Amino acid sequence: MAAVDIDVPVDTDTLIYNQDDMERQAEGFKEQGNAFYSKKDYSEAFNYYTKAIDACPKNASYYGNRAATLMMLCRFREALEDSQQAVRLDDCFMKGHLREGKCHLSLGNARAASRCFQKVLEMEPSNREAQQETKNATTLLEYERMAEFGFEKRDFRKVVYCMDRALALACACHRFKILKAECLALLGRYPEAQSVASDILRMDSTNADALYVRGLCLYYEDCIDKAVQFFVQALRMAPDHEKARLACRNAKALKAKKEEGNGAFKTCNFEAAYQLYTEALGIDPNNIKTNAKLYCNRATAGAKLKKLDQAINDCTSAIKLDDTYIKAYLRRAQCYMDTEQYEEAVRDYEKVYQTEKTSDHKHLLKNAQLELKKSKRKDYYKVLGIGKNATEDEIKKAYRKRALMHHPDRHSAATPEVQKEEEKKFKEVGEAFTVLSDPKKKIRYDNGHDLDDESGGGGFDGGDFDANNIFRAFFGGHGGGGGFSFDNNQDSGPGNFFFQFG
């Protein structure tokens, strides 16, 4: 049996009544929303504007009001959607265009913002708010341009400066925040960079750029394993993230090369370690902390290879990268000690002791100060041409050789200037022998004490010193006919001499 269509009459009066009722209800919700907005209770205002929209979804002003509330709540992306819906419903809704432009500006899209403000100015050329916001959009574009140029030139401070001012106009722009955070990381301002990235991740845990910056900070703080985890996570969120891919590759390569160098050093293969640290330093010049450690490691290997000047230069490079790096100061100070640059060694040890007042550091400083003091006296070991561990017999032999070499009688035919210089050297040789041949004086000299201040009459007084007396006593010369003479005649050969004993 065929179905029968039955026409059911529509009660248009009831529909009109229901529509009017919904509109009145929506207006009531809007008024309540306005009241809460005036009280700055934006969450409640949002709820009532939403009810108004649900009751009457074709009213542009409701979307406009809710957009204004969302802007006060700093929910600019949602506010942008409501503003755009408002102008779709009513293209002549000037406040809708103005709010859409402000949302674009807050989100960092200056060009889209400019188009919205231009639309307002077409409708009302004298609109001061639209005129000012147009200027703001132009200013924002200029800061973007300056920041882009600064980044290319690696002027990261300039980029941070520009981004701070850009964010004053575009407070919700993640792109600007990320660029600022990246440059802060490149400037070594890791806590600030971490803070910016963390704020973004609290709002969007999948933000690949923020994950990359977090990893970058850890990487530059020499926490390479943790850094790699963040880089990998960023690449999961955005497989084409080129910066994260490059940083991840550098981090892995740097860690591997550094560990390889450490391994070579531990097996005493210092040449290989030196070369591996050099290769590691070429991987990423931006990684300041890791490179500081690599310079110090290479300095340690260089010191083992007796490349002391290069080791000092490497320590200096490490300190330039990280002026708080105690190990680099200590390594450089030791190299200064080994090259007898005691003033520089004292300066480094003073820096270390000011930073870390340990007994070990105090001992190192005192030792360097002692060596500095000793270096400013006559070096009697150098005067005799012997080492500091010379035996008593070696001291005597050295004195014999140097005393004969500089004795004034040997240079009697020389110019007055030469005679004066040789006499001075002869006296120094006698002083050196007097001190180093006396066990008590030698100990005090080696310990850095001033021999002239020694109590008990055993001190060394250079003013009363007679080098000839020492010479005669050493060679057994006696007065009254016995003695020695120098023969510089041709038969004995130029510069030769012999002794005649009575």
Side-chain angles (χ1 to χ4, degrees):
M1 183 177 179
V4 178
D5 291 332
I6 301 175
D7 293 329
V8 179
V10 177
D11 188 344
T12 55
D13 291 337
T14 301
L15 287 175
I16 292 170
Y17 173 78
N18 288 340
Q19 186 176 354
D20 290 343
D21 187 51
M22 292 293 286
E23 288 177 358
R24 280 194 298 273
Q25 190 179 31
E27 278 297 303
F29 288 140
K30 186 193 83 170
E31 292 302 323
Q32 287 177 284
N34 289 347
F36 281 113
Y37 190 94
S38 297
K39 295 176 184 177
K40 297 184 179 181
D41 188 346
Y42 302 118
S43 295
E44 280 301 308
F46 172 82
N47 292 335
Y48 279 98
Y49 290 141
T50 299
K51 290 178 181 180
I53 289 171
D54 291 341
C56 190
K58 299 295 184 182
N59 189 307
S61 67
Y62 298 164
Y63 287 99
N65 285 8
R66 191 169 74 172
T69 304
L70 287 166
M71 289 169 71
M72 297 307 295
L73 292 168
C74 295
R75 293 160 60 179
F76 292 100
R77 293 192 184 280
E78 296 167 78
L80 177 61
E81 292 174 6
D82 274 359
S83 299
Q84 290 173 328
Q85 179 61 16
V87 297
R88 275 196 291 268
L89 292 169
D90 181 1
D91 191 49
C92 294
F93 185 26
M94 192 160 58
K95 284 186 178 180
H97 287 294
L98 194 59
R99 285 170 185 151
E100 182 187 356
K102 286 183 176 181
C103 288
H104 278 307
L105 194 63
S106 295
L107 292 166
N109 193 342
R111 288 186 174 81
S114 293
R115 289 193 291 269
C116 295
F117 300 139
Q118 188 59 40
K119 184 77 172 179
V120 174
L121 291 171
E122 288 172 4
M123 290 185 279
E124 186 182 314
S126 62
N127 190 296
R128 290 186 178 180
E129 191 173 7
Q131 289 172 352
Q132 181 58 49
E133 294 295 351
T134 298
K135 290 180 182 178
N136 289 341
T138 301
T139 301
L140 185 62
L141 284 171
E142 179 61 17
Y143 280 132
E144 281 192 78
R145 186 195 66 77
M146 289 168 62
E148 183 179 353
F149 181 78
F151 196 88
E152 288 176 0
K153 297 295 182 182
R154 301 187 66 79
D155 187 353
F156 302 125
R157 286 183 177 81
K158 183 66 171 291
V159 178
V160 171
Y161 171 87
C162 291
M163 288 300 95
D164 278 337
R165 278 140 191 83
L167 284 165
L169 299 169
C171 60
C173 182
H174 285 181
R175 180 165 50 89
F176 293 168
K177 290 178 181 179
I178 288 295
L179 181 56
K180 175 185 174 180
E182 183 178 2
C183 289
L184 286 171
L186 291 167
L187 289 169
R189 294 160 62 179
Y190 309 120
E192 295 171 77
Q194 288 272 28
S195 178
V196 174
S198 296
D199 286 344
I200 294 172
L201 289 171
R202 274 192 287 272
M203 294 181 283
D204 178 11
S205 62
T206 64
N207 189 297
D209 290 325
L211 290 167
Y212 159 70
V213 170
R214 284 289 305 276
L216 196 65
C217 291
L218 290 165
Y219 170 56
Y220 286 153
E221 289 182 294
D222 202 35
C223 300
I224 293 181
D225 288 334
K226 289 183 179 178
V228 169
Q229 292 175 10
F230 275 97
F231 294 144
V232 169
Q233 193 175 351
L235 289 167
R236 286 199 193 104
M237 299 300 108
D240 295 331
H241 201 295
E242 192 55 37
K243 286 184 177 180
R245 186 182 307 282
L246 176 62
C248 190
R249 184 166 64 244
N250 282 345
K252 290 179 178 179
L254 198 55
K255 181 187 177 186
K257 191 66 70 175
K258 181 182 174 185
E259 288 180 349
E260 194 177 351
N262 292 347
F265 188 90
K266 287 176 182 176
T267 59
C268 298
N269 191 347
F270 303 123
E271 286 284 3
Y274 192 94
Q275 181 59 34
L276 289 163
Y277 291 139
T278 301
E279 292 172 12
L281 282 165
I283 291 174
D284 185 0
N286 292 323
N287 194 320
I288 292 171
K289 277 209 166 174
T290 303
N291 286 341
K293 292 181 179 180
L294 287 168
Y295 274 119
C296 193
N297 285 4
R298 191 170 74 171
T300 305
K304 292 288 187 181
L305 296 167
K306 304 303 179 185
K307 299 178 179 180
L308 294 177
D309 289 338
Q310 183 59 51
I312 289 171
N313 291 337
D314 278 348
C315 289
T316 301
S317 296
I319 290 165
K320 284 180 180 178
L321 294 176
D322 182 2
D323 63 1
T324 66
Y325 193 12
I326 294 298
K327 189 181 287 187
Y329 284 106
L330 288 171
R331 170 56 56 194
R332 186 170 71 176
Q334 184 57 57
C335 290
Y336 281 141
M337 292 291 287
D338 292 341
T339 53
E340 299 184 3
Q341 299 179 67
Y342 299 119
E343 288 188 8
E344 291 82 354
V346 167
R347 186 175 62 241
D348 277 354
Y349 282 133
E350 284 177 339
K351 171 74 173 179
V352 171
Y353 187 62
Q354 288 168 5
T355 306
E356 294 182 357
K357 296 185 183 299
T358 68
S359 58
D360 286 343
H361 294 159
K362 184 177 182 179
H363 173 73
L364 289 168
L365 174 57
K366 283 188 171 296
N367 184 56
Q369 290 170 333
L370 175 61
E371 292 300 324
L372 174 60
K373 180 181 177 182
K374 289 162 64 176
S375 71
K376 292 183 176 180
R377 310 172 308 172
K378 289 179 182 177
D379 189 337
Y380 290 141
Y381 290 101
K382 283 188 177 179
V383 169
L384 293 182
I386 56 177
K388 293 182 180 180
N389 296 320
T391 64
E392 184 179 351
D393 187 52
E394 288 172 335
I395 292 171
K396 288 180 179 179
K397 286 182 179 179
Y399 172 70
R400 181 190 299 274
K401 177 181 178 182
R402 293 299 173 104
L404 294 175
M405 183 185 302
H406 299 295
H407 194 286
D409 288 354
R410 182 183 181 191
H411 302 281
S412 58
T415 64
E417 291 79 9
V418 172
Q419 289 183 32
K420 186 175 181 180
E421 181 62 27
E422 291 298 327
E423 185 177 353
K424 178 183 175 183
K425 290 180 180 179
F426 178 68
K427 183 177 179 180
E428 287 179 345
V429 168
E431 289 177 9
F433 179 70
T434 299
V435 172
L436 299 183
S437 64
D438 184 318
K440 289 183 179 180
K441 288 187 176 68
K442 184 175 185 296
I443 289 173
R444 288 183 61 78
Y445 176 80
D446 288 343
N447 289 336
H449 296 298
D450 292 326
L451 299 175
D452 290 344
D453 296 334
E454 188 176 14
S455 62
F460 176 73
D461 186 351
D464 296 334
F465 173 78
D466 188 336
N468 286 306
N469 287 339
I470 301 298
F471 187 86
R472 284 192 291 269
F474 184 86
F475 286 103
H478 302 283
F484 53 85
S485 65
F486 290 85
D487 183 3
N488 290 319
N489 61 34
Q490 293 180 350
D491 293 336
S492 58
N496 292 326
F497 51 86
F498 64 93
F499 292 97
Q500 293 178 335
F501 295 98

